[in-house]
Amino acid sequence: MGSCVGLFVLAWTVVRHFSLTAAVVMSVVAALMPPLAAIIANSRREP
């Protein structure tokens, strides 16, 4: 979760001054990380 918050903060405080597209991509990646982590964590099959 800390990496998601860090990506959001970094994207909109530093990166957007250089590239708006990169900031948007970083935000999308940060938004997709928690749901993907939950899907991967819950996909383990029990024997």
Side-chain angles (χ1 to χ4, degrees):
M1 193 62 173
S3 60
C4 296
V5 173
L7 276 174
F8 274 120
V9 170
L10 187 66
W12 295 110
T13 58
V14 177
V15 176
R16 76 174 166 96
H17 295 296
F18 301 104
S19 173
L20 184 62
T21 305
V24 170
V25 169
M26 286 174 69
S27 295
V28 169
V29 169
L32 291 177
M33 283 173 65
L36 288 176
I39 290 169
I40 291 169
N42 291 321
S43 67
R44 200 177 102 208
R45 296 181 186 223
E46 296 295 328

